[in-house]
Amino acid sequence: MATEEEILAEVAELGRLSERAEDVMYNITLRQDELGREPSNMLLSKMKADPIYQEMIDREYMTYEVFGSSAMKDNVVSLYVTLKGMRYCILFGDEIHARRKVDPAGRVKQQ
């Protein structure tokens, strides 16, 4: 399990995730926290086509499970933010939260 220092060292070496990746991971983290480790689901083909998800998976901020059978046209992926990813969101949460367009309840923020 990655510590705060290890995450900060990795960020110093590799840089932070893109803003879009941070926003996606933060949203999934909020959902998991609220619903108790509930995954976010999407089609495998959409996940594989989007390099943002691969970046988070490669850096072990996110993991996934694939569900489906050979009879299905496309498999479903359940995405989970790892504890390392949650720590990343906590470390940079003030910045990520400030740029979000919606509040935690999903309402559009007043500008």
Side-chain angles (χ1 to χ4, degrees), residues 1-109:
M1 182 168 27
T3 64
E4 185 175 312
E5 293 80 24
E6 291 170 334
I7 293 169
L8 291 173
E10 180 180 287
V11 167
E13 180 184 338
L14 302 174
R16 285 179 56 174
L17 296 171
S18 67
E19 281 190 15
R20 183 165 175 258
E22 287 182 345
D23 292 344
V24 167
M25 187 166 65
Y26 190 79
N27 289 338
I28 294 172
T29 299
L30 288 177
R31 184 171 190 271
Q32 279 183 205
D33 184 50
E34 181 69 26
L35 300 176
R37 228 24 209 161
E38 278 292 312
S40 293
N41 299 318
M42 67 187 314
L43 295 175
L44 178 62
S45 61
K46 290 191 184 261
M47 185 194 79
K48 292 289 186 182
D50 194 338
I52 287 178
Y53 290 99
Q54 195 59 51
E55 178 184 16
M56 290 184 282
I57 291 165
D58 289 347
R59 290 175 69 171
E60 297 178 349
Y61 294 137
M62 189 175 287
T63 189
Y64 65 95
E65 291 179 276
V66 179
F67 298 95
S69 68
S70 58
M72 293 177 63
K73 182 179 177 187
D74 199 357
N75 292 329
V76 174
V77 173
S78 291
L79 298 167
Y80 300 93
V81 176
T82 63
L83 290 175
K84 181 180 178 183
M86 287 185 185
R87 281 199 172 100
Y88 180 99
C89 288
I90 291 167
L91 286 170
F92 300 106
D94 290 341
E95 295 171 46
I96 299 168
H97 181 74
R99 70 172 178 255
R100 294 184 78 224
K101 293 178 177 52
V102 296
D103 66 13
R107 296 179 299 248
V108 176
K109 288 182 185 176

